[in-house]
Amino acid sequence: PAPPVRANFSPDGRYLAIALWDGTVSLYRLPEGGVPVVYAAGAGGTTLPALSSDGRFVLPRGTSYRNGTRSTTQVYRTDTGRIAGPPLEPGGILLDASFSPDGTRVATASSAGRTIAERGRLLFEAEGKGGNVQVWDWKSGKRLVGPIPTPGEPRGLAFHPEGHILAVVCADYRVLLVDPRTG
């Protein structure tokens, strides 16, 4: 119904998540000779999908685009589209999120700003004044680590395949390496 803007396959190739321009994420279980399961999860604005490494879960992860306004995220089951965990609220505009390799945690990167104008003023502020990173137990909604202040607004996240390092790309072009267990 709306133009697709991003796509992401699960590591096992069984699921495909498509972020649409209208802010929804459409999830597809690729058929094994049958008709795919299709549903849409409302994402509340432009977003990108993040899939767990086993392909069982997806979450809208926000966007670092200047017009993003998403302030929460929530994990959904890929097989049914049903909510799998409580909302995660990092306290500002959500810019990215990522599942840990074992799928038990979610890291979020968020601006300290709550509006687009406020975000613009804080973009390059140091010592966490521009934004932060948090690590969550997504099943309980409990924050495990953080907020971890970043040297400018955090723009993107990537877990090391073994899960012991979290790379954070910041608006001031720095890359912060964080131990996601301790911050």
Side-chain angles (χ1 to χ4, degrees):
V5 293
R6 294 285 192 271
N8 196 355
F9 279 103
S10 63
D12 66 6
R14 293 181 21 210
Y15 299 96
L16 175 65
I18 306 289
L20 304 176
W21 189 256
D22 68 358
T24 58
V25 174
S26 293
L27 302 166
Y28 302 90
R29 183 177 59 204
L30 300 180
E32 294 178 17
V35 177
V37 173
V38 179
Y39 58 87
T46 304
T47 191
L48 304 171
L51 288 166
S52 62
S53 61
D54 63 6
R56 294 178 43 214
F57 303 100
V58 65
L59 78 150
R61 60 182 181 162
T63 177
S64 62
Y65 300 151
R66 301 289 293 161
N67 63 348
T69 58
R70 182 173 190 73
S71 62
T72 65
T73 192
Q74 195 164 18
V75 175
Y76 296 85
R77 294 185 52 85
T78 55
D79 59 349
T80 63
R82 293 184 187 202
I83 293 170
L88 306 178
E89 300 177 4
I93 295 174
L94 183 67
L95 304 172
D96 199 7
S98 181
F99 283 99
S100 61
D102 67 4
T104 62
R105 296 166 290 151
V106 166
T108 59
S110 61
S111 170
R114 295 178 184 266
T115 66
I116 293 172
E118 190 175 38
R119 179 181 172 204
R121 287 192 304 276
L122 299 172
L123 188 63
F124 295 106
E125 293 291 322
E127 300 174 15
K129 293 180 181 133
N132 64 71
V133 171
Q134 298 173 55
V135 180
W136 307 82
D137 172 338
W138 65 263
K139 289 182 182 178
S140 70
K142 179 182 176 192
R143 183 174 53 218
L144 301 173
V145 177
I148 302 164
T150 56
E153 182 182 85
R155 291 291 184 85
L157 300 169
F159 273 96
H160 183 278
E162 294 175 8
H164 65 285
I165 299 172
L166 179 65
V168 182
V169 176
C170 297
D172 67 353
Y173 305 111
R174 290 192 237 184
V175 176
L176 183 65
L177 300 177
V178 175
D179 181 331
R181 297 165 297 212
T182 65

mmCIF file of all heavy atoms in Angstrom, residues 1 3 11 23 26 37 50 59-60 76-77 79 82 94-97 99 105 114-117 128 134 154 158 164 173:
data_model
loop_
_atom_site.group_PDB
_atom_site.id
_atom_site.type_symbol
_atom_site.label_atom_id
_atom_site.label_comp_id
_atom_site.label_asym_id
_atom_site.label_seq_id
_atom_site.Cartn_x
_atom_site.Cartn_y
_atom_site.Cartn_z
ATOM 1 N N PRO A 1 0.800 -1.222 0.000
ATOM 2 C CA PRO A 1 0.000 0.000 0.000
ATOM 3 C C PRO A 1 0.836 1.277 0.000
ATOM 4 O O PRO A 1 0.422 2.278 -0.527
ATOM 5 C CB PRO A 1 -0.818 -0.105 1.283
ATOM 6 C CG PRO A 1 -0.080 -1.079 2.130
ATOM 7 C CD PRO A 1 0.663 -1.990 1.202
ATOM 8 N N PRO A 3 5.027 2.907 -0.522
ATOM 9 C CA PRO A 3 6.306 2.510 -1.117
ATOM 10 C C PRO A 3 7.249 1.891 -0.085
ATOM 11 O O PRO A 3 7.386 2.398 1.025
ATOM 12 C CB PRO A 3 6.888 3.835 -1.621
ATOM 13 C CG PRO A 3 5.738 4.782 -1.691
ATOM 14 C CD PRO A 3 4.747 4.328 -0.674
ATOM 15 N N PRO A 11 18.586 -14.133 9.242
ATOM 16 C CA PRO A 11 19.804 -14.862 8.890
ATOM 17 C C PRO A 11 19.550 -16.234 8.270
ATOM 18 O O PRO A 11 20.330 -16.685 7.447
ATOM 19 C CB PRO A 11 20.547 -14.988 10.221
ATOM 20 C CG PRO A 11 20.078 -13.810 11.004
ATOM 21 C CD PRO A 11 18.637 -13.632 10.616
ATOM 22 N N GLY A 23 5.329 4.166 7.513
ATOM 23 C CA GLY A 23 5.672 3.856 8.886
ATOM 24 C C GLY A 23 5.312 2.464 9.345
ATOM 25 O O GLY A 23 5.539 2.119 10.492
ATOM 26 N N SER A 26 6.011 -4.465 7.113
ATOM 27 C CA SER A 26 5.339 -5.677 6.650
ATOM 28 C C SER A 26 6.302 -6.839 6.791
ATOM 29 O O SER A 26 7.470 -6.739 6.417
ATOM 30 C CB SER A 26 4.916 -5.534 5.184
ATOM 31 O OG SER A 26 3.922 -4.553 5.059
ATOM 32 N N VAL A 37 2.855 -16.007 4.775
ATOM 33 C CA VAL A 37 2.070 -15.373 5.826
ATOM 34 C C VAL A 37 2.383 -13.885 5.758
ATOM 35 O O VAL A 37 3.539 -13.483 5.754
ATOM 36 C CB VAL A 37 2.455 -15.927 7.212
ATOM 37 C CG1 VAL A 37 1.772 -15.160 8.315
ATOM 38 C CG2 VAL A 37 2.129 -17.400 7.287
ATOM 39 N N ALA A 50 14.354 -4.495 12.299
ATOM 40 C CA ALA A 50 15.486 -5.280 12.802
ATOM 41 C C ALA A 50 14.948 -6.663 13.128
ATOM 42 O O ALA A 50 13.917 -6.789 13.782
ATOM 43 C CB ALA A 50 16.077 -4.635 14.048
ATOM 44 N N LEU A 59 11.571 -5.893 15.310
ATOM 45 C CA LEU A 59 11.173 -4.658 15.973
ATOM 46 C C LEU A 59 11.428 -3.493 15.044
ATOM 47 O O LEU A 59 12.399 -3.478 14.295
ATOM 48 C CB LEU A 59 11.891 -4.452 17.312
ATOM 49 C CG LEU A 59 13.319 -3.950 17.300
ATOM 50 C CD1 LEU A 59 13.560 -3.143 18.578
ATOM 51 C CD2 LEU A 59 14.277 -5.103 17.273
ATOM 52 N N PRO A 60 10.532 -2.497 15.059
ATOM 53 C CA PRO A 60 10.800 -1.249 14.360
ATOM 54 C C PRO A 60 11.963 -0.561 15.072
ATOM 55 O O PRO A 60 11.973 -0.469 16.294
ATOM 56 C CB PRO A 60 9.506 -0.452 14.525
ATOM 57 C CG PRO A 60 8.464 -1.469 14.876
ATOM 58 C CD PRO A 60 9.195 -2.528 15.645
ATOM 59 N N TYR A 76 7.892 -7.827 18.045
ATOM 60 C CA TYR A 76 6.758 -8.597 17.517
ATOM 61 C C TYR A 76 7.242 -9.978 17.091
ATOM 62 O O TYR A 76 8.398 -10.149 16.703
ATOM 63 C CB TYR A 76 6.155 -7.900 16.288
ATOM 64 C CG TYR A 76 5.563 -6.556 16.568
ATOM 65 C CD1 TYR A 76 6.365 -5.406 16.567
ATOM 66 C CD2 TYR A 76 4.208 -6.410 16.828
ATOM 67 C CE1 TYR A 76 5.821 -4.160 16.819
ATOM 68 C CE2 TYR A 76 3.661 -5.162 17.078
ATOM 69 C CZ TYR A 76 4.476 -4.049 17.073
ATOM 70 O OH TYR A 76 3.935 -2.812 17.330
ATOM 71 N N ARG A 77 6.350 -10.942 17.129
ATOM 72 C CA ARG A 77 6.649 -12.288 16.616
ATOM 73 C C ARG A 77 6.559 -12.258 15.088
ATOM 74 O O ARG A 77 5.617 -11.698 14.543
ATOM 75 C CB ARG A 77 5.668 -13.310 17.177
ATOM 76 C CG ARG A 77 5.791 -13.503 18.684
ATOM 77 C CD ARG A 77 4.885 -14.618 19.182
ATOM 78 N NE ARG A 77 5.073 -15.857 18.435
ATOM 79 C CZ ARG A 77 6.010 -16.764 18.705
ATOM 80 N NH1 ARG A 77 6.835 -16.582 19.707
ATOM 81 N NH2 ARG A 77 6.100 -17.853 17.983
ATOM 82 N N ASP A 79 6.102 -14.890 13.173
ATOM 83 C CA ASP A 79 5.173 -15.884 12.640
ATOM 84 C C ASP A 79 3.716 -15.447 12.715
ATOM 85 O O ASP A 79 2.878 -15.933 11.957
ATOM 86 C CB ASP A 79 5.367 -17.247 13.313
ATOM 87 C CG ASP A 79 5.161 -17.218 14.819
ATOM 88 O OD1 ASP A 79 5.059 -16.111 15.418
ATOM 89 O OD2 ASP A 79 5.104 -18.309 15.425
ATOM 90 N N ARG A 82 2.071 -10.751 16.298
ATOM 91 C CA ARG A 82 1.597 -10.368 17.634
ATOM 92 C C ARG A 82 2.735 -9.793 18.471
ATOM 93 O O ARG A 82 3.895 -10.158 18.317
ATOM 94 C CB ARG A 82 0.992 -11.564 18.348
ATOM 95 C CG ARG A 82 -0.275 -11.997 17.667
ATOM 96 C CD ARG A 82 -0.930 -13.103 18.402
ATOM 97 N NE ARG A 82 -2.046 -13.536 17.565
ATOM 98 C CZ ARG A 82 -3.073 -14.179 18.013
ATOM 99 N NH1 ARG A 82 -3.165 -14.481 19.280
ATOM 100 N NH2 ARG A 82 -4.035 -14.534 17.208
ATOM 101 N N LEU A 94 13.892 7.714 18.816
ATOM 102 C CA LEU A 94 14.587 6.468 18.538
ATOM 103 C C LEU A 94 15.265 6.556 17.172
ATOM 104 O O LEU A 94 14.611 6.850 16.169
ATOM 105 C CB LEU A 94 13.603 5.296 18.568
ATOM 106 C CG LEU A 94 14.184 3.916 18.375
ATOM 107 C CD1 LEU A 94 15.059 3.527 19.555
ATOM 108 C CD2 LEU A 94 13.056 2.910 18.199
ATOM 109 N N LEU A 95 16.566 6.300 17.136
ATOM 110 C CA LEU A 95 17.326 6.419 15.895
ATOM 111 C C LEU A 95 17.774 5.074 15.345
ATOM 112 O O LEU A 95 17.995 4.932 14.148
ATOM 113 C CB LEU A 95 18.543 7.320 16.126
ATOM 114 C CG LEU A 95 18.186 8.702 16.668
ATOM 115 C CD1 LEU A 95 19.437 9.463 17.043
ATOM 116 C CD2 LEU A 95 17.361 9.469 15.658
ATOM 117 N N ASP A 96 17.925 4.091 16.209
ATOM 118 C CA ASP A 96 18.296 2.751 15.766
ATOM 119 C C ASP A 96 18.058 1.786 16.922
ATOM 120 O O ASP A 96 17.976 2.197 18.082
ATOM 121 C CB ASP A 96 19.760 2.688 15.324
ATOM 122 C CG ASP A 96 20.074 1.472 14.449
ATOM 123 O OD1 ASP A 96 19.139 0.733 14.070
ATOM 124 O OD2 ASP A 96 21.256 1.255 14.132
ATOM 125 N N ALA A 97 17.960 0.507 16.602
ATOM 126 C CA ALA A 97 17.851 -0.553 17.599
ATOM 127 C C ALA A 97 18.381 -1.827 16.967
ATOM 128 O O ALA A 97 18.334 -1.991 15.744
ATOM 129 C CB ALA A 97 16.399 -0.739 18.055
ATOM 130 N N PHE A 99 18.999 -6.258 17.860
ATOM 131 C CA PHE A 99 18.983 -7.424 18.729
ATOM 132 C C PHE A 99 20.419 -7.877 18.985
ATOM 133 O O PHE A 99 21.262 -7.818 18.091
ATOM 134 C CB PHE A 99 18.252 -8.602 18.060
ATOM 135 C CG PHE A 99 16.767 -8.502 18.077
ATOM 136 C CD1 PHE A 99 16.080 -8.048 16.971
ATOM 137 C CD2 PHE A 99 16.043 -8.909 19.193
ATOM 138 C CE1 PHE A 99 14.707 -7.975 16.962
ATOM 139 C CE2 PHE A 99 14.651 -8.840 19.187
ATOM 140 C CZ PHE A 99 13.983 -8.372 18.078
ATOM 141 N N ARG A 105 18.589 -9.613 24.223
ATOM 142 C CA ARG A 105 18.656 -8.191 24.540
ATOM 143 C C ARG A 105 18.444 -7.368 23.277
ATOM 144 O O ARG A 105 18.653 -7.836 22.174
ATOM 145 C CB ARG A 105 20.023 -7.837 25.137
ATOM 146 C CG ARG A 105 20.285 -8.520 26.463
ATOM 147 C CD ARG A 105 21.731 -8.440 26.877
ATOM 148 N NE ARG A 105 22.501 -9.305 25.982
ATOM 149 C CZ ARG A 105 23.774 -9.112 25.657
ATOM 150 N NH1 ARG A 105 24.447 -8.118 26.142
ATOM 151 N NH2 ARG A 105 24.371 -9.939 24.832
ATOM 152 N N ARG A 114 13.286 15.359 22.032
ATOM 153 C CA ARG A 114 11.976 14.700 21.929
ATOM 154 C C ARG A 114 11.163 15.214 20.747
ATOM 155 O O ARG A 114 10.127 14.659 20.426
ATOM 156 C CB ARG A 114 11.208 14.878 23.230
ATOM 157 C CG ARG A 114 11.880 14.175 24.399
ATOM 158 C CD ARG A 114 11.115 14.413 25.701
ATOM 159 N NE ARG A 114 11.787 13.832 26.821
ATOM 160 C CZ ARG A 114 11.530 12.610 27.295
ATOM 161 N NH1 ARG A 114 10.617 11.868 26.741
ATOM 162 N NH2 ARG A 114 12.197 12.152 28.333
ATOM 163 N N THR A 115 11.640 16.282 20.109
ATOM 164 C CA THR A 115 11.004 16.825 18.913
ATOM 165 C C THR A 115 12.089 16.993 17.845
ATOM 166 O O THR A 115 13.290 17.000 18.165
ATOM 167 C CB THR A 115 10.362 18.201 19.172
ATOM 168 O OG1 THR A 115 11.403 19.141 19.465
ATOM 169 C CG2 THR A 115 9.350 18.144 20.317
ATOM 170 N N ILE A 116 11.677 17.151 16.602
ATOM 171 C CA ILE A 116 12.648 17.332 15.520
ATOM 172 C C ILE A 116 13.474 18.595 15.753
ATOM 173 O O ILE A 116 14.701 18.586 15.579
ATOM 174 C CB ILE A 116 11.931 17.359 14.149
ATOM 175 C CG1 ILE A 116 11.345 15.966 13.864
ATOM 176 C CG2 ILE A 116 12.890 17.776 13.052
ATOM 177 C CD1 ILE A 116 10.454 15.896 12.657
ATOM 178 N N ALA A 117 12.846 19.688 16.186
ATOM 179 C CA ALA A 117 13.575 20.938 16.430
ATOM 180 C C ALA A 117 14.573 20.774 17.574
ATOM 181 O O ALA A 117 15.728 21.207 17.473
ATOM 182 C CB ALA A 117 12.600 22.067 16.737
ATOM 183 N N GLY A 128 26.646 12.852 26.159
ATOM 184 C CA GLY A 128 25.280 12.365 26.305
ATOM 185 C C GLY A 128 24.202 13.410 26.153
ATOM 186 O O GLY A 128 23.022 13.089 26.202
ATOM 187 N N GLN A 134 21.118 2.460 25.192
ATOM 188 C CA GLN A 134 20.622 1.665 26.318
ATOM 189 C C GLN A 134 20.507 0.213 25.860
ATOM 190 O O GLN A 134 20.284 -0.054 24.680
ATOM 191 C CB GLN A 134 19.260 2.188 26.782
ATOM 192 C CG GLN A 134 19.346 3.622 27.279
ATOM 193 C CD GLN A 134 17.996 4.220 27.580
ATOM 194 O OE1 GLN A 134 17.232 3.652 28.349
ATOM 195 N NE2 GLN A 134 17.711 5.368 27.002
ATOM 196 N N PRO A 154 23.802 9.402 18.747
ATOM 197 C CA PRO A 154 24.089 8.077 18.193
ATOM 198 C C PRO A 154 23.231 7.829 16.964
ATOM 199 O O PRO A 154 22.037 8.080 16.975
ATOM 200 C CB PRO A 154 23.730 7.132 19.332
ATOM 201 C CG PRO A 154 22.662 7.852 20.094
ATOM 202 C CD PRO A 154 22.988 9.315 19.964
ATOM 203 N N ALA A 158 25.626 -1.783 16.027
ATOM 204 C CA ALA A 158 25.909 -3.125 15.521
ATOM 205 C C ALA A 158 26.555 -3.934 16.628
ATOM 206 O O ALA A 158 27.540 -3.496 17.231
ATOM 207 C CB ALA A 158 26.825 -3.072 14.311
ATOM 208 N N HIS A 164 29.842 -9.449 22.581
ATOM 209 C CA HIS A 164 30.591 -8.814 23.665
ATOM 210 C C HIS A 164 31.006 -7.367 23.373
ATOM 211 O O HIS A 164 31.548 -6.711 24.256
ATOM 212 C CB HIS A 164 31.817 -9.654 24.033
ATOM 213 C CG HIS A 164 32.831 -9.759 22.943
ATOM 214 N ND1 HIS A 164 32.647 -10.551 21.833
ATOM 215 C CD2 HIS A 164 34.023 -9.159 22.792
ATOM 216 C CE1 HIS A 164 33.697 -10.442 21.043
ATOM 217 N NE2 HIS A 164 34.545 -9.601 21.601
ATOM 218 N N TYR A 173 30.874 11.617 13.647
ATOM 219 C CA TYR A 173 31.717 10.695 12.883
ATOM 220 C C TYR A 173 32.597 9.802 13.746
ATOM 221 O O TYR A 173 33.444 9.103 13.245
ATOM 222 C CB TYR A 173 32.581 11.433 11.847
ATOM 223 C CG TYR A 173 31.764 12.280 10.916
ATOM 224 C CD1 TYR A 173 31.835 13.654 10.962
ATOM 225 C CD2 TYR A 173 30.885 11.690 10.013
ATOM 226 C CE1 TYR A 173 31.074 14.437 10.126
ATOM 227 C CE2 TYR A 173 30.109 12.457 9.165
ATOM 228 C CZ TYR A 173 30.210 13.832 9.229
ATOM 229 O OH TYR A 173 29.442 14.600 8.403
#
